[in-house]
């Protein structure tokens, strides 16, 4: 792997991904689809997929077809579902690569049937019901018609309906009344599909939060993403669920200097040194996925302690005020990691910057290089 000359790197612990998968799989005691969309939540699509499979994942889930095809191109042969297919998606390529697809509407089903006929390969199909998120899925008003059309396509040999599924709006608030309401609608949707003859499909509803907190949503398979990477979907301490964050984000100090009291720091001088002090320059910025909102708010581990970023985060860099601590160019700065060396967690960063850890881990990139530790799934 190349380095970028600054030592800034995202270190991904493959063994943690495997162990987290095993913990989740063991907890639910039924098949698990590890979600590896968005470049494995920023951990690397193929290595994350292989590590999750090594940890016992039964299949993989991605958003778009290109992600599924990238897994196949890398030699990953496990079942993969690609669920976010717009009109004109290359369903024939999906079928040729043995990728399962999902549809939300009759026109999507028609495209799948056409591709199956063109290629001579029946599609392994999941039908997505909108049970209350109002995002993907067929609304209940359209569900019976979609199910009937899918049953006809199955009878014709063009599709095999292997999944009936939906997605929760409030799984991270385990007592929210929408959860029971969505489960009820999902059960109705399943009953309609079964009555239409779609009896062999796996039912799946649970994302990470539901996988750790809501056994009533587990049905025939769970579908966790963020928890596979060791982040607590409920916003608490991942260790409470036996999970370990797989990502560590670190950089190296590029420059240090001693400045007087009253020095304005970084653009707009939103930070002023309270006393004579040492500043350390860290060569990563918002172009690398370090949120600009971290200015004067986000913590990092540097020179033996957690310190808040001093002044604005710039495109390529930010500044730390380390006081009279000893710090030298080349010293390590940890933005976030598992937390056991005293470094902040992605959850702490999320709290400091007004976002969720999902956004932080999926966006970190730019000039960070990625490096893997551990051996789970390595080829
Ligand atoms: C992203 C996604 C998941 C995984 O969600 P997590 O909260 O990361 O577990 C599951 N299902 C669908 C439909 C998704 O879009």
């Amino acid at each position: 792997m190349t380095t970028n000359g600054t030592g800034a790197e995202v270190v991904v612990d493959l063994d943690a991904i495997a162990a987290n998968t095993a913990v989740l799989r063991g907890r639910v005691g039924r098949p698990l689809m590890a979600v590896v969309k968005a470049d494995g939540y920023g951990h690397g699509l193929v290595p994350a997929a292989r590590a999750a499979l090594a940890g016992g994942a039964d299949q993989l889930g991605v958003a778009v077809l290109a992600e599924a095809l990238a897994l196949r191109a890398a030699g990953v042969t496990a079942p993969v579902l690609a669920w976010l297919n717009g009109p004109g998606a290359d369903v024939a390529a999906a079928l040729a690569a043995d990728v399962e697809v999902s549809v939300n509407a009759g026109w999507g089903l028609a495209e799948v049937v056409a591709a199956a006929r063109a290629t001579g390969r029946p599609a392994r199909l999941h039908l997505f019901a909108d049970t209350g998120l109002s995002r993907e899925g067929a609304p209940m008003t359209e569900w019976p018609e979609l199910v009937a059309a899918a049953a006809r396509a199955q009878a014709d040999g063009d599709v095999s309906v292997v999944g009936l599924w939906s997605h929760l709006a409030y799984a991270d608030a385990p007592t929210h009344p929408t959860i029971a309401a969505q489960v009820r609608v999902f059960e109705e949707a399943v009953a309609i599909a079964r009555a239409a003859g779609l009896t062999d499909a796996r039912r799946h509803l649970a994302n990470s939060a539901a996988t750790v907190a809501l056994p009533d949503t587990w049905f025939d398979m769970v579908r966790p993403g963020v928890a596979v990477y060791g982040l607590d979907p409920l916003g608490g301490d991942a260790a409470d669920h036996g999970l370990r964050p797989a990502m560590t984000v670190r950089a190296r100090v590029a420059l240090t200097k001693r400045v007087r009291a009253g020095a304005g720091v970084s653009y707009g001088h939103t930070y002023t040194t309270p006393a004579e002090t040492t500043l350390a320059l860290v060569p990563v910025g918002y172009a690398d996925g370090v949120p600009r909102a971290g200015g004067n708010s986000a913590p990092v581990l540097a020179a033996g302690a957690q310190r808040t970023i001093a002044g604005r985060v710039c495109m390529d860099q930010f500044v730390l005020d380390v006081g009279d601590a000893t710090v030298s160019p080349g010293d390590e700065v940890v933005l976030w990691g598992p937390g056991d060396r005293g470094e902040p967690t992605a959850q702490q960063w999320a709290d400091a910057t007004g976002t969720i850890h999902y956004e932080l881990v999926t966006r970190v990139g730019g000039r960070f290089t990625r490096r893997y530790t551990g051996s789970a799934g390595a080829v």
Side-chain angles (χ1 to χ4, degrees):
M1 180 151 299
T2 56
T3 65
N4 63 6
T6 70
E9 58 179 10
V10 173
V11 183
V12 174
D13 178 354
L14 297 171
D15 292 346
I17 293 174
N20 294 331
T21 306
V23 164
L24 297 166
R25 180 76 174 70
R27 174 157 168 68
V28 299
R30 66 199 75 198
L32 179 149
M33 176 192 292
V35 179
V36 295
K37 63 190 181 185
D39 203 17
Y41 285 53
H43 296 67
L45 172 69
V46 172
R50 288 208 173 102
L53 291 167
D58 301 271
Q59 70 173 80
L60 302 167
V62 294
V64 304
L65 189 50
E67 298 173 309
L69 296 178
L71 287 167
R72 289 289 183 256
V76 176
T77 57
V80 181
L81 167 64
W83 62 70
L84 194 55
N85 307 304
D90 192 353
V91 181
L95 302 185
D98 200 17
V99 170
E100 299 177 4
V101 294
S102 173
V103 298
N104 303 305
W107 61 260
L109 178 63
E111 291 194 6
V112 170
V113 167
R117 290 189 177 161
T119 58
R121 287 168 172 264
R124 289 175 60 81
L125 183 67
H126 298 243
L127 299 177
F128 203 149
D130 181 358
T131 56
L133 178 59
S134 304
R135 203 182 70 175
E136 298 139 299
M140 282 307 106
T141 49
E142 297 174 18
W143 181 254
E145 199 179 326
L146 178 62
V147 157
R152 284 194 300 275
Q154 181 162 284
D156 291 345
D158 293 323
V159 308
S160 174
V161 177
V162 297
L164 298 169
W165 70 309
S166 189
H167 196 43
L168 295 167
Y170 262 107
D172 55 347
T175 59
H176 199 277
T178 58
I179 295 166
Q182 284 196 257
V183 168
R184 263 196 315 278
V185 176
F186 186 57
E187 284 171 339
E188 283 167 30
V190 167
I192 291 168
R194 288 187 168 166
L198 302 177
T199 49
D200 295 336
R202 266 185 192 164
R203 303 160 298 164
H204 52 106
L205 179 62
N207 64 357
S208 291
T211 298
V212 301
L214 297 168
D216 289 349
T217 67
W218 292 348
F219 292 96
D220 303 319
M221 178 165 70
V222 296
R223 214 170 58 231
V226 86
V228 165
Y229 308 97
L231 299 172
D232 181 0
L234 305 177
D237 184 355
D240 293 347
H241 310 292
L243 303 173
R244 177 173 174 77
M247 179 186 286
T248 298
V249 178
R250 58 203 286 271
R252 294 198 178 279
V253 171
L255 178 70
T256 62
K257 65 184 76 176
R258 200 71 190 157
V259 302
R260 62 179 168 80
V265 175
S266 193
Y267 289 136
H269 285 178
T270 60
Y271 179 84
T272 303
T273 54
E276 184 185 318
T277 191
T278 298
L279 299 180
L281 181 68
V282 184
V284 289
Y286 60 76
D288 308 299
V290 178
R292 189 167 179 273
N296 291 318
S297 70
V300 303
L301 175 65
Q306 282 196 18
R307 305 170 191 282
T308 301
I309 292 173
R312 292 214 175 118
V313 173
C314 308
M315 188 183 294
D316 321 301
Q317 50 202 299
F318 62 80
V319 178
L320 298 172
D321 178 349
V322 303
D324 293 328
T326 305
V327 63
S328 307
D331 284 0
E332 181 185 46
V333 176
V334 185
L335 284 73
W336 66 77
D340 45 11
R341 285 198 297 148
E343 76 276 20
T345 60
Q347 182 64 51
Q348 266 179 275
W349 263 78
D351 294 341
T353 59
T355 185
I356 53 176
H357 47 40
Y358 292 77
E359 186 175 14
L360 296 169
V361 296
T362 54
R363 296 188 77 164
V364 69
R367 290 156 291 183
F368 282 102
T369 57
R370 201 190 276 134
R371 180 164 67 82
Y372 294 96
T373 64
S375 59
V379 284

